[in-house]
Amino acid sequence: MSTKPIGSGDYAIQLDDAAWRERLSPEEYQVLRQAGTERPFSGEYEEVRPAGTYACRACGAVLFRADEQFDAHCGWPAFWAPQDDDAVELLEDASLGMVRTEVRCANCGSHLGHVFEGEGFATPTDQRYCINSLSLVHEG
């Protein structure tokens, strides 16, 4: 588990579990509120490159811009940076027998995915924000 349970922070949007379940589909709830992961190559934004922004499906906060999306061939949408540093929260995640950096929405604390560094992608940051499509809504 992450070092900070989902929903335990001081976020601008705070709902109880029943309200999140009402707001989100079961699949969205599993990813956003239980730190799940959608199947690779199954998400609607994995290969889409439209202009615009990507917002948190749970609360609507703008998280990423299409300009920072790139094709990492990893099965999930990949971005080399969030739309600004305050849009996301980064936390240590020691689940699954490894240490990774979890990415959460800074506005509501929902799980988005993970960020990886040093993989050699030709991007300005050498980072890959590997984000679940289910956690995003494209705004064109």
Side-chain angles (χ1 to χ4, degrees):
M1 275 306 234
S2 297
T3 57
K4 181 177 172 185
I6 293 176
S8 66
D10 185 25
Y11 301 107
I13 304 292
Q14 295 191 22
L15 302 174
D16 65 20
D17 193 57
W20 285 120
R21 287 181 184 276
E22 187 175 309
R23 180 181 278 209
L24 302 168
S25 73
E27 295 83 11
E28 293 164 355
Y29 180 85
Q30 196 266 334
V31 168
L32 289 156
R33 305 308 300 171
Q34 296 182 316
T37 302
E38 67 192 0
R39 287 180 298 110
F41 302 102
S42 68
E44 65 182 308
Y45 301 128
E46 197 267 327
E47 292 186 22
V48 175
R49 305 288 182 269
T53 59
Y54 291 89
C56 176
R57 188 176 300 267
C59 73
V62 175
L63 303 169
F64 299 95
R65 292 184 299 244
D67 292 343
E68 282 82 30
Q69 187 175 16
F70 70 101
D71 194 354
H73 304 287
C74 64
W76 295 274
F79 303 87
W80 52 266
Q83 75 99 22
D84 73 48
D85 290 340
D86 294 335
V88 297
E89 174 180 42
L90 303 178
L91 298 166
E92 182 180 291
D93 177 358
S95 65
L96 303 177
M98 64 184 107
V99 177
R100 301 177 289 169
T101 302
E102 179 184 14
V103 182
R104 291 190 190 173
C105 173
N107 195 51
C108 71
S110 289
H111 173 79
L112 305 171
H114 291 85
V115 63
F116 303 95
E117 293 187 61
E119 296 178 316
F121 288 106
T123 61
T125 62
D126 196 23
Q127 293 180 316
R128 176 174 58 99
Y129 284 78
C130 184
I131 306 298
N132 291 286
S133 285
L134 281 172
S135 67
L136 300 172
V137 174
H138 179 258
E139 299 172 341

